[in-house]
Each structure stands twice: as structure tokens, then as C-alpha cells.
Amino acid sequence: DFDAKEKRKVAKIYQALSCEPIDVAALRRMAISEGGLLTDEIRRQVWPQLLSVNTDDLPPLPGKELREDSKDYQQVLLDVRRSVRRFPPGMPDDQREGLQEELIDIILHVLKRNPQLHYYQGYHDIVVTFLLVVGDRLATALVEKLSTHHLRDFMDPTMDNTKHILNYLMPIIDQVNPEVHDFMQSAEVGTIFALSWLITWFGHVLSDFRHVVRLYDFFLACHPLMPIYFAAVIVLYRKQEVLDCECDMASVHHLLSQIPQDLPYETLISRAGDLFVQFPPSELAREAAQRQAERTAASTFKDFELASAQQRPDTVLRQRFRERLRGEERTKSILTKPRTNRFVKLAAMGLTVALGAVALAVVRSPLEWAPKFELQIFP
């Protein structure tokens, strides 16, 4: 029965890929729904569509001269040399070392072509995931698009915008479980425990590569802030462990920074999607901005949300969730009651609300996407 369901999904994915133009909205729904994109062979075809990358016009492979001119080369070299565990166990040393050389070249190539971007430790954890799935040439194009959109705020000269994005974590937790929120506030644990989760899309902290690529399917199909929603549902999933912990910064930080490897990923992905719809970034932005007023690529996505609300699927979806859940018991039910129609809702979200920022290139709506509007989303 499971095999039959999987085969039907594969057929739907290839049907979407064969459409003219390609049905990107359907591909987003497939990436969000249970199991994600299923195989690396499918990911090699779908990930470029989710990022609006033209696979017929890929950049040439970078040359070794990049290493001589790059101010980041030494730091990248150190980080890549420490990345042995990110490669499949049992891979021959010479093969792994060859991939590490390709990893260095991809990173330096993206940085050279985009001098406004600044390397950060952990960036290589994202790049290596793309390298292992799609190969060096396609990975270079995908990583460059991702770096100038979803990851852009992590690649500023300072960590100010990254800290701002982390500021969304506690408001999400507060909406769902005020008790956990207040406990964490009393412990003064902050949000730094989730930093490596966020800036590596969990690639650095999860040991099973299957779980990493499943999350990448989800994040590539969604809003740039979806990783912080996923971080929130991990904390909420562990709520009893948190509340049973000593209420001090060191104890709570130690507990939360040790991420379990046996998480129910599909359940948590579903919950993160539900929370995004019920408590969208535009409703959390005021509280998140109390400590930091600068605008980021993620926070300015609300402009795109408002515009996309004129499309019918999003209008229906937003009317359904306009009245936010009140009371602790009702908010707790988000994380406990099965939601048989959640993928229907996420399917509509795949067309509008959960479109990643780069979806501007693939959305076909009745709106006029003026250049100045794009600049508002990507200043």
C-alpha cells in the first residue's frame, strides 16, 4: 500500500515536470507533503524548479585561480577539512577528498560572483548537501540562487539580521505554549541554541542524510522563515523535557542544543506548516522586531503575502485561519490532534502563502510584478 502511494506520487511529480510550462505549484505541494521528493534523482530535477534555476544555462565550473584571490579561502579550507562526517560513511578517502575540493571551489565561486555576500561558518554545511545530491555544476547554480535569497540575511557583514530572525522563535512558542515560553524566559536561555539549526538548515546537527534532504525539500518549497518554525516545533515537541529541566540558562541550553536524532520528522513538518498558516510572520513581526528594527529579506516577505492574498486559493485559506486560536487548550491541540486535511491546506499554501521568495520568477498571477516591488522584497 505504501509502495503504491509512493508510485502515485512519483507519477504526479513527473507529470508536473512534463507540463508546459512546468507546474511549479504542484512540485511545491509534492515537496511539502509526506515523504517530500522521495529520491535524489527526482531532487536533481525538482530543486532547480523550486529555485527557478535554468538548467540549460549553467555557469562553467570554477577555476582554481579563485583560491589565490579569495580572502575567505583559509577559513573555507579549515571548515571543509572539518566536514568529514557530512559525507556518507564508508566513502573512499580519495572520493571524499575530491568532493571536498569541489566544495571549496563552489563556495569561493559564489562569493566571488556576489561580493555583497559574506561567508559564515556553517555555510559549507548547506553547500555540501547540494553537492552530494546534484553534483558540482548544478550545485553551484542552486547555491548561488539560494545565497542571494533564502540565506541572504545570514551572509550580511554582521549577525544582526540573523539575530533578528532568531527573534521569531520565542513568539511562535508563546503562541502555542505560553508555559514553555515563560519557563524559557525565566531560565534566560535565549535562542542561541538554535543558531546552528537555522544557519545550516539543520544540516550540521542531523546525522542521517535522509532527514537532511527531506527538510531541504520542505524549506526550498516554503517561505524563508520556515526553518525557524521548524525549530519552534522541535522545542514544543520536547516541552515536557524542557519543563522538567532545572530552570537555569546552562541546563536548558544544554538540553535544547542536543537535538534528538529520532524526531518524528513528517509530523513536525506538518506542524510547522500548520503554525506558519495560523501564525504567519506578519503577525509575529512586531514582537520579533522589538529588539531589532532593521528590515530583512524574511520580514519584507509580508509585502508578497499581501499581494498574493489577491489570488483565490490564498484568499480562501486566509479566511479559514483569520481567527487565531485562543486559550492554552486550543493552542495545545495544534500539536496533539491529527489533522486529516493538513496537506490540503499546505497544498494551497504551496501555491501562495508558502511560496519561497524566489517564487516571484515562477508565479503566474493577475498582479503586475513591478520592478520596484521586487526591490521591496529583495532590497
Side-chain angles (χ1 to χ4, degrees):
D1 186 46
F2 175 78
D3 289 342
K5 183 179 178 181
E6 190 173 278
K7 287 178 181 178
R8 287 194 298 270
K9 184 171 190 179
V10 170
K12 289 180 180 179
I13 292 172
Y14 281 109
Q15 182 180 8
L17 287 167
S18 65
C19 288
E20 185 59 48
I22 290 173
D23 190 348
V24 178
L27 295 177
R28 291 184 184 282
R29 292 195 294 270
M30 297 298 104
I32 289 169
S33 63
E34 185 176 4
L37 296 175
L38 302 174
T39 70
D40 286 351
E41 180 182 352
I42 292 175
R43 291 183 178 100
R44 283 190 281 272
Q45 298 178 65
V46 175
W47 281 4
Q49 303 304 324
L50 298 182
L51 285 172
S52 190
V53 167
N54 182 1
T55 56
D56 294 327
D57 186 28
L58 296 177
L61 292 175
K64 300 298 183 183
E65 67 278 0
L66 283 173
R67 304 186 181 202
E68 301 173 3
D69 304 329
S70 174
K71 62 181 175 59
D72 297 298
Y73 172 61
Q74 290 300 325
Q75 184 60 57
V76 171
L77 178 64
L78 289 173
D79 290 344
V80 169
R81 282 177 174 172
R82 289 193 292 259
S83 67
V84 175
R85 71 178 189 84
R86 289 303 318 281
F87 293 87
M91 176 179 281
D93 289 345
D94 57 345
Q95 183 181 356
R96 174 184 51 77
E97 290 167 3
L99 288 169
Q100 287 178 306
E101 293 299 308
E102 293 175 3
L103 178 57
I104 293 171
D105 290 339
I106 293 170
I107 293 171
L108 297 182
H109 178 76
V110 172
L111 294 173
K112 181 177 177 61
R113 282 173 50 90
N114 301 272
Q116 78 278 15
L117 301 178
H118 296 261
Y119 177 76
Y120 65 88
Q121 287 183 280
Y123 180 69
H124 69 288
D125 283 300
I126 289 183
V127 180
V128 72
T129 302
F130 284 90
L131 173 62
L132 291 173
V133 173
V134 304
D136 55 351
R137 195 172 178 204
L138 182 52
T140 301
L142 298 183
V143 167
E144 181 169 12
K145 178 62 74 72
L146 194 72
S147 300
T148 55
H149 295 83
H150 285 66
L151 305 179
R152 195 206 65 187
D153 292 316
F154 307 149
M155 305 189 76
D156 279 349
T158 71
M159 289 189 64
D160 289 346
N161 284 341
T162 301
K163 292 175 183 176
H164 175 76
I165 295 172
L166 281 169
N167 285 340
Y168 279 80
L169 181 64
M170 295 306 291
I172 299 169
I173 294 172
D174 190 30
Q175 292 288 347
V176 179
N177 195 318
E179 183 183 7
V180 171
H181 171 272
D182 293 347
F183 182 90
M184 292 175 67
Q185 290 288 82
S186 297
E188 299 182 339
V189 68
T191 57
I192 197 69
F193 66 86
L195 177 62
S196 65
W197 305 358
L198 179 66
I199 64 175
T200 70
W201 277 12
F202 297 84
H204 182 72
V205 292
L206 297 181
S207 58
D208 193 324
F209 192 70
R210 295 172 303 168
H211 298 151
V212 175
V213 294
R214 172 64 187 105
L215 287 181
Y216 277 43
D217 293 341
F218 181 48
F219 296 153
L220 287 171
C222 290
H223 184 288
L225 273 179
M226 192 57 80
I228 206 70
Y229 281 80
F230 192 79
V233 298
I234 289 178
V235 175
L236 291 163
Y237 174 74
R238 304 181 70 194
K239 61 189 175 189
Q240 199 55 54
E241 292 179 76
V242 173
L243 295 174
D244 289 344
C245 190
E246 292 292 329
C247 190
D248 63 76
M249 188 269 287
S251 299
V252 180
H253 176 85
H254 178 74
L255 171 71
L256 291 175
S257 61
Q258 304 298 313
I259 190 168
Q261 297 297 312
D262 59 347
L263 294 169
Y265 292 94
E266 293 299 336
T267 300
L268 297 185
I269 285 170
S270 172
R271 292 173 182 173
D274 281 344
L275 291 184
F276 178 89
V277 174
Q278 292 158 13
F279 310 113
S282 55
E283 294 186 18
L284 301 172
R286 182 172 299 176
E287 186 174 347
Q290 286 179 349
R291 298 179 182 178
Q292 185 172 349
E294 291 85 352
R295 292 167 63 83
T296 69
S299 65
T300 56
F301 195 88
K302 63 190 176 193
D303 300 324
F304 181 48
E305 282 192 298
L306 291 173
S308 65
Q310 298 181 34
Q311 301 180 72
R312 180 173 296 178
D314 190 50
T315 301
V316 173
L317 188 64
R318 290 211 161 275
Q319 287 173 349
R320 186 176 300 169
F321 287 96
R322 182 57 58 189
E323 185 177 342
R324 290 168 58 183
L325 295 176
R326 301 290 183 183
E328 183 176 350
E329 290 302 318
R330 294 186 69 188
T331 52
K332 283 184 178 180
S333 71
I334 299 170
L335 298 181
T336 57
K337 291 183 179 180
R339 307 188 62 147
T340 57
N341 62 343
R342 62 180 177 266
F343 289 122
V344 176
K345 296 171 184 175
L346 285 177
M349 188 171 75
L351 183 60
T352 51
V353 180
L355 285 174
V358 297
L360 281 177
V362 295
V363 168
R364 299 293 183 266
S365 78
L367 302 175
E368 293 184 1
W369 300 102
K372 65 179 180 180
F373 181 76
E374 293 191 24
L375 289 174
Q376 288 174 344
I377 294 179
F378 309 125

